Each structure stands twice: as C-alpha cells, then as structure tokens.
C-alpha cells in the first residue's frame, strides 16, 4: 500500500473515561510486519475484556502503548501480507484475534499475526465471524478444563450451570456444552428465557427470582462445573450448589477471585473457584469456526453499529445488558 494512505479509526489516549474517552481520528494505514497480514476490516465486536483494558485492569500488559485502538475480534479481507506469510494472500476472507502494538479492530484497517488468523469459509458471514473469537474461545476453554467433558458425548453426563447465558460468552457456552455430554442449567433475565431455551439449555432460570439468586437447579442437580459469565455472586452462593469436585470458572476474575483460588489450592479444596486465564490459539479458533460453518453454533447479534458511532456500541457494552454480541462495522 502507498505510504501515507490514511484510514478512519477510533482510539483512546489514557485509562478510564468510558465511551466519552473514545476519539475519532485519521491515521496512517499500518504496514504488516514479516509475520503479519493487513486486513481491510469488515466487522469487529466489543468484549468485556476490551472494557477491562480501558479501565487499566490488565496493566501493565495491555494496552502496549497509548493512544490505543481497541477491538480484539476481527473479520475482514486480507489486503496485504508480510514477506514471511505463507498461508494467506490478498483477497482471502479471514477471522483473526488482534493482539499487537498497532491496535485493534475499531478502524478501517488492522494488522493481525498470521498465527492468530484463520480462513473464513463462505458460509460464515463477517458478523458471525467477528462475534466468535474471544467469546467463543472463552466458552470453549472453560469446557476443555471441565473434567469429563467431551464433544464426542462419551462418558457420564455432566451437570453444568452457565450464568448470564444470553450474553456474549454465555450464548456460546450453552451451545457448545449441548454439543457435548452436558445437561445445562442457565440463568438470564426474564426477557431472554425463551432465547436461551432455544439455544439448547435444559433448564433456564430468571436470575431475579429466589432460585435464580441462589443459583439452584430446578431439578435439584449439583453442578460439576459453572461457567460464570455474570458478576456479583460470592463463593458462598456457589459452594452449596456444587458436586464434590465442582469447579466455577470465572471469565472476568477480580483480585478477590485470585485470592480465593490461591487459598483453595493451599487447603486442597475439592471445590474450586478458578479464574479463567486464556491464551488464544489458532487451532481452537479454527475448530470453533468449523462449528459455525456447519450450523452447529451461531452468534446471537444484539446490535450492529457503524464505526462513526462506535461510542454508542461501547456505551451499550458498558451497560452490561446486551443480548448476545455487539458488532461494529467500518
């Protein structure tokens, strides 16, 4: 690409500030390094992790520098490839995870590492592709770490609880769990009970009811694992609902979660609260994208926003009541 070619982007210059801190700018289109591809963006999605980065919760790891263009999930078309890239060429449709110093998906162009980029089959739309990476991988990782879970449906049926099941991670967790050997109890708001049931959940509870607040299974089951996508539940609420070796995977862990986990390790507790720390892997993303291609899982899309109104998408994510994924397109 010619030098000094400009693109529209959205960035912030310091920690904090929420949607009001997002600034619309024109920047030079980045050039891909040897192991990178330059993407002409078609869509990105906003994750709670993006908000945590802005708040400074993952300091000093992210962002790598300011100003920072947020957005980790990406669907787009390869525009240019680095000299060492072997598996992609200009014109290829792809899905990628954007973890690099040049910033993320709230822009017309973005660079992605080849080892975090996968081909997007024609059956998968840009919106479906952009919704998948972080949310889908988080749900998948929790299931992989659940002892006895199998996508082959082998072994004893497991009892799983998924909180905030109508959210970005929760919707994938329900669908993926039902592809395996799991009975799924799910919590969500009253307006989304039918939606979560349609995704495959066996039992759905309104989180504002007494049983929902106590996380009790309507059929009296004890949970072998909990994929905890909500906030505000203390360990004391989970513990009586777990089976002997039950695990709670917290996808947005706070410092207190890490402290509880460390204490449980020291005391050899069989029931554990586990903070989810995930490293995205190309092979796992490709595995999930194949499920989307085959129609086995799908993204529930809450809303689609133009890049020119990215702050509205950001504010909606901060509000925390989106049903499914929030998409931004250039």
């Amino acid at each position: 690409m010619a030098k000094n070619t400009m693109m529209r982007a959205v960035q912030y210059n310091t920690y904090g500030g929420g949607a009001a801190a997002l600034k619309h700018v024109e920047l030079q289109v980045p050039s891909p390094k040897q192991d990178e591809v330059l993407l002409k963006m078609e869509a990105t999605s906003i994750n709670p992790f993006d908000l945590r980065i802005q708040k400074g919760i993952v300091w000093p790891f992210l962002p790598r520098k300011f100003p920072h263009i947020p957005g980790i999930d990406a669907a787009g078309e390869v525009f240019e490839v680095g000299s060492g890239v072997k598996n992609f060429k200009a014109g290829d449709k792809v899905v990628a995870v954007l973890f690099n110093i040049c910033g993320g998906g709230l822009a017309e162009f973005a660079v992605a590492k080849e080892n975090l980029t996968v081909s997007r089959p024609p059956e998968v739309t840009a919106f479906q592709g952009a919704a998948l990476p972080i949310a889908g991988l988080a749900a998948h990782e929790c299931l992989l770490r659940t002892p006895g879970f199998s996508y082959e449906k082998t072994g004893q049926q497991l009892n799983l609880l998924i909180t905030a099941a109508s959210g970005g991670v929760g919707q994938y967790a329900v669908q993926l769990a039902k592809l395996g050997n799991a009975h799924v109890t799910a919590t969500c708001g009253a307006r989304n009970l039918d939606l979560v049931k349609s995704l495959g959940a066996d039992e759905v509870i309104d989180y504002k009811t007494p049983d929902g607040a106590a996380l009790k299974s309507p059929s009296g089951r004890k949970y072998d694992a909990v994929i905890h996508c909500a906030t505000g539940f203390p360990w004391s609420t989970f513990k009586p609902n777990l089976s002997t070796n039950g695990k709670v995977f917290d996808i947005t862990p706070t410092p207190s979660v890490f402290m509880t986990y460390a204490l449980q390790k020291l005391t050899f507790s069989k029931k554990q609260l586990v903070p989810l720390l995930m490293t995205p892997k190309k092979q796992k993303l490709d595995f999930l994208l194949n499920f989307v291609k085959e129609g086995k899982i799908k993204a529930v899309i809450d809303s689609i926003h133009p890049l020119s109104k990215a702050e509205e998408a950001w504010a909606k994510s901060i509000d925390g009541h989106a049903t499914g994924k929030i998409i931004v397109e250039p």
Side-chain angles (χ1 to χ4, degrees), residues 236-291:
S236 58
T237 303
F238 291 110
K239 190 174 181 180
N241 292 303
L242 296 176
S243 62
T244 304
N245 296 298
K247 304 283 189 293
V248 178
F249 298 99
D250 193 322
I251 69 163
T252 53
T254 59
S256 65
V257 172
F258 286 95
M259 291 176 62
T260 301
Y261 175 65
L263 181 60
Q264 290 168 345
K265 280 287 191 182
L266 288 172
T267 56
F268 302 100
S269 174
K270 291 183 177 180
K271 298 181 180 183
Q272 291 184 349
L273 177 60
V274 182
L276 180 67
L277 299 174
M278 180 189 71
T279 301
K281 298 289 186 183
K282 177 172 183 166
Q283 296 81 359
K284 292 178 180 177
L285 180 56
D286 197 41
F287 176 80
L288 293 179
L289 200 59
N290 195 53
F291 277 160

Side-chain angles (χ1 to χ4, degrees), residues 11-12 16-23 54 311 314-315 318:
Q11 65 185 26
Y12 54 83
L22 299 183
K23 306 299 180 186
Q54 187 193 34
E311 59 274 17
W314 200 263
I318 290 172

Side-chain angles (χ1 to χ4, degrees), residues 181-199:
N181 58 326
H183 176 281
V184 173
T185 303
T187 70
C188 64
R191 66 189 174 94
N192 291 319
L193 293 173
D194 289 341
L195 168 67
V196 173
K197 190 76 173 177
S198 75
L199 295 176

Side-chain angles (χ1 to χ4, degrees), residues 26 46 75 97 115 119 127 131 150 199 215 232 300 319:
E26 281 205 351
I46 298 174
V97 178
N115 65 1
S119 296
F127 295 159
S150 169
L199 295 176
L215 301 178
V300 175
D319 180 60

Side-chain angles (χ1 to χ4, degrees), residues 141-163:
E141 192 66 27
C142 291
L143 292 168
L144 292 181
R145 296 186 191 184
T146 299
F149 178 80
S150 169
Y151 285 117
E152 306 299 325
K153 293 184 180 281
T154 56
Q156 183 178 347
Q157 186 183 61
L158 301 177
N159 294 315
L160 265 59
L161 170 66
I162 299 166
T163 63

